[in-house]
Amino acid sequence: MENNLTYTRNGDYLIPNLTLSEQPSEPLGKYGRMRKAYLKEHRPLIYNQLLMSEKLYPHLLEIDKTANSRLEQMMPQLAKEAGATEELKARDPMQWVGLMNTCKAQAEEILMAELINS
């Protein structure tokens, strides 16, 4: 096995010069941050393994993109089932907003169970 590490002498000790590979500069969204918090608190072994193998950030980005995609797919169906129509939006905007908030809460609860906290 080839050793490509370089070292810096610090007194009597040799300290390895460790570097991380280039990580994407794309910011994490809400669901990626939630997944990170869940892994850090409830699954520290998986969190550390992903972190040390430099796969944590790509994993979190994938979770975030998947969650947003699933949310976009679920919302129209949930809104339709709840009766949040354009006609209701024009007639009673406050009721429409309440229904849409309920639909989003339902969708996020599903995402939490299936993607974030699993």
Side-chain angles (χ1 to χ4, degrees):
M1 184 170 136
E2 189 177 318
N3 187 353
N4 292 332
L5 282 177
T6 58
Y7 296 87
T8 302
R9 183 170 291 282
N10 188 353
D12 292 338
Y13 300 100
L14 289 176
I15 309 295
N17 298 323
L18 302 176
T19 58
L20 294 173
S21 64
E22 194 66 33
Q23 294 290 310
S25 60
E26 193 176 334
L28 278 180
K30 172 184 176 179
Y31 302 109
R33 292 190 308 269
M34 290 169 77
R35 174 70 173 168
K36 181 181 179 183
Y38 171 78
L39 288 174
K40 202 171 191 178
E41 185 174 337
H42 299 286
R43 307 273 190 193
L45 293 176
I46 294 172
Y47 175 81
N48 286 325
Q49 186 179 32
L50 288 169
L51 182 65
M52 298 305 276
S53 65
E54 297 184 1
K55 294 179 183 173
L56 178 63
Y57 195 77
H59 170 74
L60 298 176
L61 275 177
E62 181 65 30
I63 291 290
D64 190 62
K65 288 178 183 176
T66 303
N68 282 314
S69 168
R70 293 277 315 278
L71 185 65
E72 285 180 28
Q73 290 173 346
M74 282 191 278
M75 281 301 291
Q77 181 64 32
L78 291 172
K80 182 180 176 185
E81 290 171 4
T85 61
E86 288 298 318
E87 187 268 325
L88 178 64
K89 184 178 179 181
R91 185 171 36 92
D92 190 353
M94 292 305 288
Q95 184 181 0
W96 181 84
V97 168
L99 286 174
M100 292 303 287
N101 286 342
T102 300
C103 292
K104 186 165 184 183
Q106 274 183 305
E108 286 189 335
E109 194 170 319
I110 293 168
L111 292 175
M112 291 295 288
E114 291 180 357
L115 289 174
I116 310 298
N117 299 338
S118 62

